[in-house]
Structure formats: structure tokens, C-alpha cells
Amino acid sequence: MDLSRFPRRRYTPFATPIEPMPRFSAALAASCPGGVGPEVWVKRDDQLGLFPGGNKTRKLEFLVADALAQGCDTLVTVGAPQSNHCRITLSAAVKEGLKCRFVIEERVPGTYDLNASGNQFMFRLMGVESQRAVPAGSDLKAALQEELDALAAQGRKGYAIPTGGSNAIGGLGYVACAQEMQQQWFDMGLRFDEVVVGSGSSGTHGGLVAGFLGNRIDVPVVGVGVSRDPADQAPVVHREAQAVCDLLGLNLQVPVEAVQCVGGYWQPKYSVPNARMVEAVQLLARTEGILLDPVYTGKIMAGLVGLARAGRWKAGQRVLFLHTGGLPSLHAYESIVLGDGAGLAP
Ligand SMILES: *Cc1c(COP(=O)(O)O)cnc(C)c1O
């Protein structure tokens, strides 16, 4: 499949590493029925470019290139207060000499605090032009449009990026990732039985599904929901995968079975900690020295751990965990991830 016809800015000058995790796999197997579990590997998308990189970097390579091609001078996007997407979008804007504005959706009341550590500190340090908070459930599309209108009234041109950068153009970033992995697996002589990814605004999961279909990569992808259970999440991912396939001109209908979602690991609420997340963050940190974040990758890894303990994979099967980044928010939850999970939802 030829992605070169789409404009792209390159923010990571290398393929992110794929690494085995033998100590983590052994510890996980010891907690699985019969003491056997899968061989777990990791794709280090936490090492992508921009500040500090994560899955949003890949989507922004195509989104920002599109903004520049359209002659826009300002990136406008939306996200939660600890949004990795907002922070990485700002980093891309700074790098490209563009301005950047946010609409912050306060999904958990009381979490928008201009003096908070983590994102607010970094927003100010990198120089966001403006930000305004709206309550959970607001019409975000309309809020973005208001920002574009305000810019137009000043003779400027904004480029609106939806939540998580997840539209057809953003999804191309994970089509590129699918192609990158295909080449790495070939070079490394590796086969995987399943790929485990996070599934939120769905550009990552949907883009990979489109990329796997388009490149005829016959390895299942399972998405662990970070904010929705499968009945609600699967249609979102399916729409995204179809939109990406359509943009690519693949002329195919995404089969419903190509979109596999797992739920039950994000509760009690998006971004609110639970005990299984704490266990997963500690287990990976203490076996491989790799850190996960509490909002996304900690819960996604908790999903992988739960699936392994439920016997999803046989001994010797190989599973690839996509580490999508998100580390800065870890610092907003230090005492929780060092604790024993007592008092948290399971
Ligand atoms: C945004 C995000 C996800 C979810 O990816 P989507 O493409 O929104 O589904 C997973 N992990 C991290 C660290 C993220 O920032």
C-alpha cells in the first residue's frame, strides 16, 4: 500500500523498537492457570518523537502535514485536562512554528486546575496560546468551530483536530505503524499470535485494523477499552477503520469480526485509577524497568494480564503489547501507583 501520496511530517526518525519481555512474561505465567502464559513482547511507541512521544505523534505526522498544506497558522484541538494528545499537539505546533489552542473537556469534575502539575505546567512552558474548559458532555465539535471562527475574525486560519486526533487522516499514522511492524517482523524473523492495543478515541485501534487489512497482515488485533465496553467501543473503532480504508481507496468493507474489543478494565471511569491498573504498572516497572501510565497503558496492560490469566493464549504463543506512551500523567498519581490498590475499584 502506498502512503507516500499523503503529505507527512516526520517526527520520529526511526522505527520504534520491538523488544522481548522475558522477566515480565515469566512473572505473568507464574500467575496464570497451570503456570503457563504467553511470551509477551512490547512495541515501544512510548519512544516516538515530540514531547514526550506517544501514539498521538504518529497521527500528528499526517494531521499537521495536512494543516500546513492548507496554509493554516494555528492548531486547535480538544482533550481532557491530562490529555497526552493536547500536549503532543502543542509540541508539534511549536516545532512547526504554528500557534496552538485547546478546548479542555473536564470529564471528571474538578480536574481542570491551571496550577496543576503535569500537563498544565507543560502547556505553559511550551506556550499554549489559549485554553478554555467546557463541562463533560459539551458539543466539542461546536466548541472547535467557535475557535476557528474567532481565528478567522482575526484574519487567521485554524486547523481543527478532533479528540485524540482520530479521524481518517490521523488513522493513517497507524497504517504506517502496521507497515513498520510488518517490516520489523520480517527482518527479525518473528511471528505474533495477537497484538494488544488500547482503544479510546480509536485512531490507534482503527488505524491498525485498516493497516492490517490493507496489507493483508493476518494477525488479530485486540483493543482494550479505556473508556467504553465493547458494545459501545466496537462501532466507534469500526467507523474509524472504515473511514481510513475509504481514504486509502481500498474499496473494502471492514468485516465486523476484524474489530475485537475487550471491556471491564477501565472502570470505574475513564482516567480514574483501579487496583488492576496499579498491579500492572508495578509488575512491568519491577520486571522490565518500563513505566506505564495510569490512564491508558496501565489499564491496557491490566487487560493483557487479565486475558492471559483467563487462558486466552497457550504456552509459547507470542503476544505484542503496543506501548502507546502517556508517561507524564504518572506523576499526577504517584502515591496511588506506589500503593497497594486498597480502597480503589477492582
Ligand atoms: C490517546 C491514548 C491512547 C488511546 O488511543 P486512541 O487512538 O485514542 O484510541 C492510548 N494510550 C495513550 C497513552 C494515549 O495517550
Side-chain angles (χ1 to χ4, degrees), residues 265-303:
Y265 293 92
W266 56 273
Q267 285 87 348
K269 223 171 157 48
Y270 166 79
S271 85
V272 175
N274 63 37
R276 285 180 294 189
M277 173 279 288
V278 171
E279 187 209 357
V281 171
Q282 291 180 357
L283 187 62
L284 193 67
R286 292 169 187 178
T287 54
E288 298 290 341
I290 295 175
L291 302 188
L292 298 169
D293 79 287
V295 178
Y296 294 99
T297 52
K299 289 180 174 177
I300 300 160
M301 184 57 99

PDB file of all heavy atoms in Angstrom, residues 265-303:
ATOM      1  N   TYR A 265     -11.892  -3.194  32.047  1.00  0.00           N
ATOM      2  CA  TYR A 265     -10.631  -2.794  32.699  1.00  0.00           C
ATOM      3  C   TYR A 265     -10.509  -1.300  32.944  1.00  0.00           C
ATOM      4  O   TYR A 265      -9.559  -0.857  33.576  1.00  0.00           O
ATOM      5  CB  TYR A 265      -9.429  -3.302  31.878  1.00  0.00           C
ATOM      6  CG  TYR A 265      -9.352  -4.805  31.906  1.00  0.00           C
ATOM      7  CD1 TYR A 265      -9.963  -5.576  30.915  1.00  0.00           C
ATOM      8  CD2 TYR A 265      -8.735  -5.467  32.964  1.00  0.00           C
ATOM      9  CE1 TYR A 265      -9.950  -6.964  30.973  1.00  0.00           C
ATOM     10  CE2 TYR A 265      -8.707  -6.839  33.029  1.00  0.00           C
ATOM     11  CZ  TYR A 265      -9.317  -7.584  32.030  1.00  0.00           C
ATOM     12  OH  TYR A 265      -9.294  -8.943  32.105  1.00  0.00           O
ATOM     13  N   TRP A 266     -11.451  -0.508  32.424  1.00  0.00           N
ATOM     14  CA  TRP A 266     -11.338   0.954  32.542  1.00  0.00           C
ATOM     15  C   TRP A 266     -12.168   1.499  33.702  1.00  0.00           C
ATOM     16  O   TRP A 266     -12.003   2.646  34.102  1.00  0.00           O
ATOM     17  CB  TRP A 266     -11.779   1.624  31.240  1.00  0.00           C
ATOM     18  CG  TRP A 266     -13.170   1.249  30.815  1.00  0.00           C
ATOM     19  CD1 TRP A 266     -13.519   0.159  30.052  1.00  0.00           C
ATOM     20  CD2 TRP A 266     -14.399   1.919  31.145  1.00  0.00           C
ATOM     21  NE1 TRP A 266     -14.894   0.125  29.881  1.00  0.00           N
ATOM     22  CE2 TRP A 266     -15.451   1.195  30.533  1.00  0.00           C
ATOM     23  CE3 TRP A 266     -14.701   3.064  31.879  1.00  0.00           C
ATOM     24  CZ2 TRP A 266     -16.787   1.573  30.658  1.00  0.00           C
ATOM     25  CZ3 TRP A 266     -16.034   3.445  31.996  1.00  0.00           C
ATOM     26  CH2 TRP A 266     -17.062   2.694  31.384  1.00  0.00           C
ATOM     27  N   GLN A 267     -13.022   0.658  34.236  1.00  0.00           N
ATOM     28  CA  GLN A 267     -13.926   1.130  35.281  1.00  0.00           C
ATOM     29  C   GLN A 267     -13.150   1.473  36.558  1.00  0.00           C
ATOM     30  O   GLN A 267     -12.065   0.928  36.749  1.00  0.00           O
ATOM     31  CB  GLN A 267     -14.971   0.045  35.562  1.00  0.00           C
ATOM     32  CG  GLN A 267     -16.049  -0.068  34.483  1.00  0.00           C
ATOM     33  CD  GLN A 267     -15.675  -0.990  33.338  1.00  0.00           C
ATOM     34  OE1 GLN A 267     -14.520  -1.395  33.204  1.00  0.00           O
ATOM     35  NE2 GLN A 267     -16.626  -1.334  32.483  1.00  0.00           N
ATOM     36  N   PRO A 268     -13.618   2.353  37.401  1.00  0.00           N
ATOM     37  CA  PRO A 268     -14.982   2.884  37.452  1.00  0.00           C
ATOM     38  C   PRO A 268     -15.281   3.984  36.437  1.00  0.00           C
ATOM     39  O   PRO A 268     -16.446   4.267  36.198  1.00  0.00           O
ATOM     40  CB  PRO A 268     -15.071   3.452  38.871  1.00  0.00           C
ATOM     41  CG  PRO A 268     -13.674   3.849  39.206  1.00  0.00           C
ATOM     42  CD  PRO A 268     -12.802   2.833  38.526  1.00  0.00           C
ATOM     43  N   LYS A 269     -14.240   4.579  35.827  1.00  0.00           N
ATOM     44  CA  LYS A 269     -14.462   5.714  34.953  1.00  0.00           C
ATOM     45  C   LYS A 269     -13.181   5.962  34.180  1.00  0.00           C
ATOM     46  O   LYS A 269     -12.093   5.652  34.674  1.00  0.00           O
ATOM     47  CB  LYS A 269     -14.724   6.952  35.839  1.00  0.00           C
ATOM     48  CG  LYS A 269     -15.850   7.870  35.428  1.00  0.00           C
ATOM     49  CD  LYS A 269     -16.046   8.888  36.572  1.00  0.00           C
ATOM     50  CE  LYS A 269     -16.713  10.156  36.150  1.00  0.00           C
ATOM     51  NZ  LYS A 269     -17.858  10.262  35.397  1.00  0.00           N
ATOM     52  N   TYR A 270     -13.296   6.555  33.005  1.00  0.00           N
ATOM     53  CA  TYR A 270     -12.113   6.982  32.258  1.00  0.00           C
ATOM     54  C   TYR A 270     -11.192   7.789  33.179  1.00  0.00           C
ATOM     55  O   TYR A 270     -11.675   8.672  33.881  1.00  0.00           O
ATOM     56  CB  TYR A 270     -12.542   7.854  31.058  1.00  0.00           C
ATOM     57  CG  TYR A 270     -11.399   8.611  30.432  1.00  0.00           C
ATOM     58  CD1 TYR A 270     -10.510   7.978  29.565  1.00  0.00           C
ATOM     59  CD2 TYR A 270     -11.176   9.955  30.726  1.00  0.00           C
ATOM     60  CE1 TYR A 270      -9.438   8.666  29.006  1.00  0.00           C
ATOM     61  CE2 TYR A 270     -10.112  10.655  30.177  1.00  0.00           C
ATOM     62  CZ  TYR A 270      -9.255  10.002  29.320  1.00  0.00           C
ATOM     63  OH  TYR A 270      -8.202  10.685  28.781  1.00  0.00           O
ATOM     64  N   SER A 271      -9.935   7.439  33.190  1.00  0.00           N
ATOM     65  CA  SER A 271      -8.859   8.154  33.905  1.00  0.00           C
ATOM     66  C   SER A 271      -8.874   7.980  35.425  1.00  0.00           C
ATOM     67  O   SER A 271      -7.955   8.425  36.105  1.00  0.00           O
ATOM     68  CB  SER A 271      -8.831   9.654  33.560  1.00  0.00           C
ATOM     69  OG  SER A 271      -9.739  10.385  34.367  1.00  0.00           O
ATOM     70  N   VAL A 272      -9.891   7.310  35.976  1.00  0.00           N
ATOM     71  CA  VAL A 272      -9.923   7.092  37.429  1.00  0.00           C
ATOM     72  C   VAL A 272      -9.237   5.749  37.724  1.00  0.00           C
ATOM     73  O   VAL A 272      -9.559   4.739  37.104  1.00  0.00           O
ATOM     74  CB  VAL A 272     -11.377   7.108  37.954  1.00  0.00           C
ATOM     75  CG1 VAL A 272     -11.423   6.767  39.436  1.00  0.00           C
ATOM     76  CG2 VAL A 272     -12.009   8.481  37.694  1.00  0.00           C
ATOM     77  N   PRO A 273      -8.278   5.740  38.649  1.00  0.00           N
ATOM     78  CA  PRO A 273      -7.476   4.540  38.903  1.00  0.00           C
ATOM     79  C   PRO A 273      -8.287   3.350  39.405  1.00  0.00           C
ATOM     80  O   PRO A 273      -9.321   3.531  40.057  1.00  0.00           O
ATOM     81  CB  PRO A 273      -6.506   4.977  40.003  1.00  0.00           C
ATOM     82  CG  PRO A 273      -6.500   6.453  39.988  1.00  0.00           C
ATOM     83  CD  PRO A 273      -7.840   6.892  39.467  1.00  0.00           C
ATOM     84  N   ASN A 274      -7.806   2.149  39.126  1.00  0.00           N
ATOM     85  CA  ASN A 274      -8.357   0.943  39.746  1.00  0.00           C
ATOM     86  C   ASN A 274      -7.196   0.031  40.168  1.00  0.00           C
ATOM     87  O   ASN A 274      -6.037   0.283  39.802  1.00  0.00           O
ATOM     88  CB  ASN A 274      -9.368   0.239  38.824  1.00  0.00           C
ATOM     89  CG  ASN A 274      -8.754  -0.274  37.533  1.00  0.00           C
ATOM     90  OD1 ASN A 274      -7.621  -0.742  37.514  1.00  0.00           O
ATOM     91  ND2 ASN A 274      -9.514  -0.193  36.439  1.00  0.00           N
ATOM     92  N   ALA A 275      -7.513  -0.984  40.955  1.00  0.00           N
ATOM     93  CA  ALA A 275      -6.460  -1.808  41.568  1.00  0.00           C
ATOM     94  C   ALA A 275      -5.685  -2.632  40.537  1.00  0.00           C
ATOM     95  O   ALA A 275      -4.483  -2.847  40.672  1.00  0.00           O
ATOM     96  CB  ALA A 275      -7.081  -2.720  42.631  1.00  0.00           C
ATOM     97  N   ARG A 276      -6.382  -3.099  39.488  1.00  0.00           N
ATOM     98  CA  ARG A 276      -5.674  -3.907  38.486  1.00  0.00           C
ATOM     99  C   ARG A 276      -4.671  -3.072  37.694  1.00  0.00           C
ATOM    100  O   ARG A 276      -3.630  -3.569  37.262  1.00  0.00           O
ATOM    101  CB  ARG A 276      -6.680  -4.589  37.556  1.00  0.00           C
ATOM    102  CG  ARG A 276      -7.350  -5.768  38.261  1.00  0.00           C
ATOM    103  CD  ARG A 276      -8.333  -6.453  37.368  1.00  0.00           C
ATOM    104  NE  ARG A 276      -9.456  -5.574  37.071  1.00  0.00           N
ATOM    105  CZ  ARG A 276     -10.561  -5.964  36.458  1.00  0.00           C
ATOM    106  NH1 ARG A 276     -10.684  -7.212  36.073  1.00  0.00           N
ATOM    107  NH2 ARG A 276     -11.537  -5.123  36.225  1.00  0.00           N
ATOM    108  N   MET A 277      -5.001  -1.788  37.497  1.00  0.00           N
ATOM    109  CA  MET A 277      -4.047  -0.881  36.850  1.00  0.00           C
ATOM    110  C   MET A 277      -2.788  -0.765  37.710  1.00  0.00           C
ATOM    111  O   MET A 277      -1.670  -0.867  37.214  1.00  0.00           O
ATOM    112  CB  MET A 277      -4.711   0.484  36.634  1.00  0.00           C
ATOM    113  CG  MET A 277      -3.794   1.573  36.114  1.00  0.00           C
ATOM    114  SD  MET A 277      -2.769   2.378  37.361  1.00  0.00           S
ATOM    115  CE  MET A 277      -3.976   3.353  38.265  1.00  0.00           C
ATOM    116  N   VAL A 278      -2.978  -0.578  39.015  1.00  0.00           N
ATOM    117  CA  VAL A 278      -1.829  -0.428  39.919  1.00  0.00           C
ATOM    118  C   VAL A 278      -0.954  -1.679  39.861  1.00  0.00           C
ATOM    119  O   VAL A 278       0.276  -1.602  39.742  1.00  0.00           O
ATOM    120  CB  VAL A 278      -2.302  -0.153  41.369  1.00  0.00           C
ATOM    121  CG1 VAL A 278      -1.128  -0.215  42.350  1.00  0.00           C
ATOM    122  CG2 VAL A 278      -3.005   1.209  41.451  1.00  0.00           C
ATOM    123  N   GLU A 279      -1.582  -2.850  39.874  1.00  0.00           N
ATOM    124  CA  GLU A 279      -0.811  -4.101  39.810  1.00  0.00           C
ATOM    125  C   GLU A 279       0.004  -4.171  38.510  1.00  0.00           C
ATOM    126  O   GLU A 279       1.182  -4.533  38.516  1.00  0.00           O
ATOM    127  CB  GLU A 279      -1.752  -5.321  39.892  1.00  0.00           C
ATOM    128  CG  GLU A 279      -0.969  -6.622  40.009  1.00  0.00           C
ATOM    129  CD  GLU A 279      -1.654  -7.855  39.425  1.00  0.00           C
ATOM    130  OE1 GLU A 279      -2.806  -7.748  38.951  1.00  0.00           O
ATOM    131  OE2 GLU A 279      -1.016  -8.915  39.421  1.00  0.00           O
ATOM    132  N   ALA A 280      -0.628  -3.821  37.385  1.00  0.00           N
ATOM    133  CA  ALA A 280       0.057  -3.911  36.082  1.00  0.00           C
ATOM    134  C   ALA A 280       1.219  -2.929  36.008  1.00  0.00           C
ATOM    135  O   ALA A 280       2.307  -3.261  35.517  1.00  0.00           O
ATOM    136  CB  ALA A 280      -0.943  -3.656  34.946  1.00  0.00           C
ATOM    137  N   VAL A 281       1.012  -1.708  36.503  1.00  0.00           N
ATOM    138  CA  VAL A 281       2.081  -0.693  36.460  1.00  0.00           C
ATOM    139  C   VAL A 281       3.274  -1.173  37.292  1.00  0.00           C
ATOM    140  O   VAL A 281       4.424  -1.106  36.854  1.00  0.00           O
ATOM    141  CB  VAL A 281       1.563   0.669  36.992  1.00  0.00           C
ATOM    142  CG1 VAL A 281       2.720   1.657  37.167  1.00  0.00           C
ATOM    143  CG2 VAL A 281       0.509   1.254  36.040  1.00  0.00           C
ATOM    144  N   GLN A 282       2.984  -1.713  38.478  1.00  0.00           N
ATOM    145  CA  GLN A 282       4.078  -2.177  39.352  1.00  0.00           C
ATOM    146  C   GLN A 282       4.792  -3.389  38.742  1.00  0.00           C
ATOM    147  O   GLN A 282       6.017  -3.480  38.749  1.00  0.00           O
ATOM    148  CB  GLN A 282       3.533  -2.533  40.736  1.00  0.00           C
ATOM    149  CG  GLN A 282       3.056  -1.300  41.503  1.00  0.00           C
ATOM    150  CD  GLN A 282       2.501  -1.630  42.883  1.00  0.00           C
ATOM    151  OE1 GLN A 282       2.409  -2.797  43.263  1.00  0.00           O
ATOM    152  NE2 GLN A 282       2.119  -0.596  43.621  1.00  0.00           N
ATOM    153  N   LEU A 283       3.999  -4.319  38.184  1.00  0.00           N
ATOM    154  CA  LEU A 283       4.600  -5.547  37.643  1.00  0.00           C
ATOM    155  C   LEU A 283       5.574  -5.239  36.501  1.00  0.00           C
ATOM    156  O   LEU A 283       6.697  -5.751  36.462  1.00  0.00           O
ATOM    157  CB  LEU A 283       3.481  -6.491  37.154  1.00  0.00           C
ATOM    158  CG  LEU A 283       3.911  -7.881  36.702  1.00  0.00           C
ATOM    159  CD1 LEU A 283       4.562  -8.655  37.857  1.00  0.00           C
ATOM    160  CD2 LEU A 283       2.720  -8.673  36.152  1.00  0.00           C
ATOM    161  N   LEU A 284       5.163  -4.370  35.577  1.00  0.00           N
ATOM    162  CA  LEU A 284       6.048  -4.066  34.445  1.00  0.00           C
ATOM    163  C   LEU A 284       7.260  -3.252  34.904  1.00  0.00           C
ATOM    164  O   LEU A 284       8.385  -3.494  34.452  1.00  0.00           O
ATOM    165  CB  LEU A 284       5.288  -3.326  33.336  1.00  0.00           C
ATOM    166  CG  LEU A 284       6.074  -3.259  32.024  1.00  0.00           C
ATOM    167  CD1 LEU A 284       6.238  -4.657  31.406  1.00  0.00           C
ATOM    168  CD2 LEU A 284       5.430  -2.326  31.021  1.00  0.00           C
ATOM    169  N   ALA A 285       7.021  -2.299  35.820  1.00  0.00           N
ATOM    170  CA  ALA A 285       8.136  -1.474  36.308  1.00  0.00           C
ATOM    171  C   ALA A 285       9.179  -2.344  36.996  1.00  0.00           C
ATOM    172  O   ALA A 285      10.386  -2.146  36.837  1.00  0.00           O
ATOM    173  CB  ALA A 285       7.616  -0.413  37.273  1.00  0.00           C
ATOM    174  N   ARG A 286       8.713  -3.358  37.757  1.00  0.00           N
ATOM    175  CA  ARG A 286       9.634  -4.146  38.587  1.00  0.00           C
ATOM    176  C   ARG A 286      10.207  -5.370  37.889  1.00  0.00           C
ATOM    177  O   ARG A 286      11.118  -6.009  38.417  1.00  0.00           O
ATOM    178  CB  ARG A 286       8.914  -4.537  39.889  1.00  0.00           C
ATOM    179  CG  ARG A 286       8.669  -3.282  40.730  1.00  0.00           C
ATOM    180  CD  ARG A 286       7.751  -3.466  41.901  1.00  0.00           C
ATOM    181  NE  ARG A 286       7.488  -2.146  42.508  1.00  0.00           N
ATOM    182  CZ  ARG A 286       6.686  -1.944  43.542  1.00  0.00           C
ATOM    183  NH1 ARG A 286       6.048  -2.968  44.097  1.00  0.00           N
ATOM    184  NH2 ARG A 286       6.516  -0.722  44.012  1.00  0.00           N
ATOM    185  N   THR A 287       9.690  -5.714  36.696  1.00  0.00           N
ATOM    186  CA  THR A 287      10.280  -6.839  35.962  1.00  0.00           C
ATOM    187  C   THR A 287      11.086  -6.379  34.752  1.00  0.00           C
ATOM    188  O   THR A 287      12.056  -7.030  34.364  1.00  0.00           O
ATOM    189  CB  THR A 287       9.196  -7.825  35.462  1.00  0.00           C
ATOM    190  OG1 THR A 287       8.215  -7.101  34.709  1.00  0.00           O
ATOM    191  CG2 THR A 287       8.528  -8.556  36.617  1.00  0.00           C
ATOM    192  N   GLU A 288      10.690  -5.262  34.124  1.00  0.00           N
ATOM    193  CA  GLU A 288      11.367  -4.832  32.904  1.00  0.00           C
ATOM    194  C   GLU A 288      11.889  -3.398  32.972  1.00  0.00           C
ATOM    195  O   GLU A 288      12.525  -2.931  32.023  1.00  0.00           O
ATOM    196  CB  GLU A 288      10.400  -4.938  31.698  1.00  0.00           C
ATOM    197  CG  GLU A 288       9.913  -6.367  31.413  1.00  0.00           C
ATOM    198  CD  GLU A 288      10.994  -7.301  30.870  1.00  0.00           C
ATOM    199  OE1 GLU A 288      12.027  -6.811  30.371  1.00  0.00           O
ATOM    200  OE2 GLU A 288      10.802  -8.530  30.962  1.00  0.00           O
ATOM    201  N   GLY A 289      11.569  -2.678  34.036  1.00  0.00           N
ATOM    202  CA  GLY A 289      12.012  -1.286  34.117  1.00  0.00           C
ATOM    203  C   GLY A 289      11.315  -0.402  33.105  1.00  0.00           C
ATOM    204  O   GLY A 289      11.848   0.631  32.696  1.00  0.00           O
ATOM    205  N   ILE A 290      10.125  -0.801  32.684  1.00  0.00           N
ATOM    206  CA  ILE A 290       9.357   0.002  31.722  1.00  0.00           C
ATOM    207  C   ILE A 290       8.158   0.582  32.467  1.00  0.00           C
ATOM    208  O   ILE A 290       7.446  -0.146  33.170  1.00  0.00           O
ATOM    209  CB  ILE A 290       8.879  -0.865  30.531  1.00  0.00           C
ATOM    210  CG1 ILE A 290      10.091  -1.371  29.731  1.00  0.00           C
ATOM    211  CG2 ILE A 290       7.934  -0.066  29.628  1.00  0.00           C
ATOM    212  CD1 ILE A 290       9.723  -2.342  28.609  1.00  0.00           C
ATOM    213  N   LEU A 291       7.948   1.893  32.317  1.00  0.00           N
ATOM    214  CA  LEU A 291       6.848   2.537  33.026  1.00  0.00           C
ATOM    215  C   LEU A 291       5.603   2.647  32.146  1.00  0.00           C
ATOM    216  O   LEU A 291       5.702   2.847  30.936  1.00  0.00           O
ATOM    217  CB  LEU A 291       7.264   3.929  33.510  1.00  0.00           C
ATOM    218  CG  LEU A 291       8.493   3.965  34.436  1.00  0.00           C
ATOM    219  CD1 LEU A 291       8.681   5.363  35.005  1.00  0.00           C
ATOM    220  CD2 LEU A 291       8.390   2.943  35.565  1.00  0.00           C
ATOM    221  N   LEU A 292       4.467   2.499  32.801  1.00  0.00           N
ATOM    222  CA  LEU A 292       3.166   2.669  32.148  1.00  0.00           C
ATOM    223  C   LEU A 292       2.465   3.842  32.815  1.00  0.00           C
ATOM    224  O   LEU A 292       2.808   4.225  33.933  1.00  0.00           O
ATOM    225  CB  LEU A 292       2.309   1.409  32.344  1.00  0.00           C
ATOM    226  CG  LEU A 292       2.843   0.108  31.762  1.00  0.00           C
ATOM    227  CD1 LEU A 292       2.018  -1.076  32.275  1.00  0.00           C
ATOM    228  CD2 LEU A 292       2.801   0.145  30.235  1.00  0.00           C
ATOM    229  N   ASP A 293       1.442   4.370  32.170  1.00  0.00           N
ATOM    230  CA  ASP A 293       0.701   5.482  32.777  1.00  0.00           C
ATOM    231  C   ASP A 293      -0.609   4.952  33.360  1.00  0.00           C
ATOM    232  O   ASP A 293      -1.091   3.892  32.959  1.00  0.00           O
ATOM    233  CB  ASP A 293       0.420   6.566  31.726  1.00  0.00           C
ATOM    234  CG  ASP A 293      -0.747   6.193  30.852  1.00  0.00           C
ATOM    235  OD1 ASP A 293      -0.598   5.292  30.010  1.00  0.00           O
ATOM    236  OD2 ASP A 293      -1.843   6.761  31.032  1.00  0.00           O
ATOM    237  N   PRO A 294      -1.195   5.685  34.316  1.00  0.00           N
ATOM    238  CA  PRO A 294      -2.400   5.193  34.995  1.00  0.00           C
ATOM    239  C   PRO A 294      -3.691   5.308  34.177  1.00  0.00           C
ATOM    240  O   PRO A 294      -4.629   4.558  34.425  1.00  0.00           O
ATOM    241  CB  PRO A 294      -2.501   6.084  36.237  1.00  0.00           C
ATOM    242  CG  PRO A 294      -1.655   7.264  35.958  1.00  0.00           C
ATOM    243  CD  PRO A 294      -0.664   6.910  34.918  1.00  0.00           C
ATOM    244  N   VAL A 295      -3.727   6.230  33.220  1.00  0.00           N
ATOM    245  CA  VAL A 295      -4.980   6.499  32.496  1.00  0.00           C
ATOM    246  C   VAL A 295      -5.193   5.522  31.338  1.00  0.00           C
ATOM    247  O   VAL A 295      -6.302   5.041  31.114  1.00  0.00           O
ATOM    248  CB  VAL A 295      -4.997   7.952  31.963  1.00  0.00           C
ATOM    249  CG1 VAL A 295      -6.266   8.236  31.182  1.00  0.00           C
ATOM    250  CG2 VAL A 295      -4.827   8.938  33.115  1.00  0.00           C
ATOM    251  N   TYR A 296      -4.107   5.229  30.616  1.00  0.00           N
ATOM    252  CA  TYR A 296      -4.224   4.389  29.430  1.00  0.00           C
ATOM    253  C   TYR A 296      -3.459   3.078  29.560  1.00  0.00           C
ATOM    254  O   TYR A 296      -4.047   2.020  29.771  1.00  0.00           O
ATOM    255  CB  TYR A 296      -3.713   5.143  28.191  1.00  0.00           C
ATOM    256  CG  TYR A 296      -4.552   6.329  27.809  1.00  0.00           C
ATOM    257  CD1 TYR A 296      -4.180   7.616  28.171  1.00  0.00           C
ATOM    258  CD2 TYR A 296      -5.712   6.174  27.061  1.00  0.00           C
ATOM    259  CE1 TYR A 296      -4.943   8.716  27.808  1.00  0.00           C
ATOM    260  CE2 TYR A 296      -6.485   7.262  26.692  1.00  0.00           C
ATOM    261  CZ  TYR A 296      -6.091   8.528  27.069  1.00  0.00           C
ATOM    262  OH  TYR A 296      -6.852   9.607  26.713  1.00  0.00           O
ATOM    263  N   THR A 297      -2.134   3.156  29.420  1.00  0.00           N
ATOM    264  CA  THR A 297      -1.373   1.914  29.248  1.00  0.00           C
ATOM    265  C   THR A 297      -1.412   1.005  30.480  1.00  0.00           C
ATOM    266  O   THR A 297      -1.312  -0.207  30.339  1.00  0.00           O
ATOM    267  CB  THR A 297       0.082   2.214  28.848  1.00  0.00           C
ATOM    268  OG1 THR A 297       0.636   3.157  29.786  1.00  0.00           O
ATOM    269  CG2 THR A 297       0.143   2.810  27.465  1.00  0.00           C
ATOM    270  N   GLY A 298      -1.588   1.592  31.691  1.00  0.00           N
ATOM    271  CA  GLY A 298      -1.712   0.750  32.885  1.00  0.00           C
ATOM    272  C   GLY A 298      -2.966  -0.109  32.801  1.00  0.00           C
ATOM    273  O   GLY A 298      -2.947  -1.305  33.126  1.00  0.00           O
ATOM    274  N   LYS A 299      -4.064   0.488  32.359  1.00  0.00           N
ATOM    275  CA  LYS A 299      -5.310  -0.272  32.240  1.00  0.00           C
ATOM    276  C   LYS A 299      -5.270  -1.228  31.046  1.00  0.00           C
ATOM    277  O   LYS A 299      -5.832  -2.320  31.090  1.00  0.00           O
ATOM    278  CB  LYS A 299      -6.496   0.688  32.125  1.00  0.00           C
ATOM    279  CG  LYS A 299      -6.807   1.416  33.449  1.00  0.00           C
ATOM    280  CD  LYS A 299      -7.980   2.374  33.310  1.00  0.00           C
ATOM    281  CE  LYS A 299      -8.363   2.976  34.671  1.00  0.00           C
ATOM    282  NZ  LYS A 299      -9.474   3.962  34.539  1.00  0.00           N
ATOM    283  N   ILE A 300      -4.577  -0.817  29.981  1.00  0.00           N
ATOM    284  CA  ILE A 300      -4.472  -1.688  28.797  1.00  0.00           C
ATOM    285  C   ILE A 300      -3.647  -2.926  29.157  1.00  0.00           C
ATOM    286  O   ILE A 300      -4.008  -4.059  28.817  1.00  0.00           O
ATOM    287  CB  ILE A 300      -3.841  -0.904  27.619  1.00  0.00           C
ATOM    288  CG1 ILE A 300      -4.703   0.321  27.263  1.00  0.00           C
ATOM    289  CG2 ILE A 300      -3.655  -1.808  26.408  1.00  0.00           C
ATOM    290  CD1 ILE A 300      -3.961   1.402  26.471  1.00  0.00           C
ATOM    291  N   MET A 301      -2.550  -2.713  29.876  1.00  0.00           N
ATOM    292  CA  MET A 301      -1.734  -3.851  30.315  1.00  0.00           C
ATOM    293  C   MET A 301      -2.504  -4.714  31.315  1.00  0.00           C
ATOM    294  O   MET A 301      -2.379  -5.943  31.307  1.00  0.00           O
ATOM    295  CB  MET A 301      -0.410  -3.366  30.902  1.00  0.00           C
ATOM    296  CG  MET A 301       0.521  -4.492  31.290  1.00  0.00           C
ATOM    297  SD  MET A 301       0.917  -5.605  29.903  1.00  0.00           S
ATOM    298  CE  MET A 301       2.529  -4.969  29.425  1.00  0.00           C
ATOM    299  N   ALA A 302      -3.314  -4.081  32.165  1.00  0.00           N
ATOM    300  CA  ALA A 302      -4.153  -4.870  33.078  1.00  0.00           C
ATOM    301  C   ALA A 302      -5.071  -5.776  32.251  1.00  0.00           C
ATOM    302  O   ALA A 302      -5.346  -6.919  32.638  1.00  0.00           O
ATOM    303  CB  ALA A 302      -4.970  -3.954  33.985  1.00  0.00           C
ATOM    304  N   GLY A 303      -5.520  -5.285  31.109  1.00  0.00           N
ATOM    305  CA  GLY A 303      -6.339  -6.106  30.208  1.00  0.00           C
ATOM    306  C   GLY A 303      -5.562  -7.289  29.670  1.00  0.00           C
ATOM    307  O   GLY A 303      -6.046  -8.428  29.667  1.00  0.00           O
TER     308      GLY A 303
END
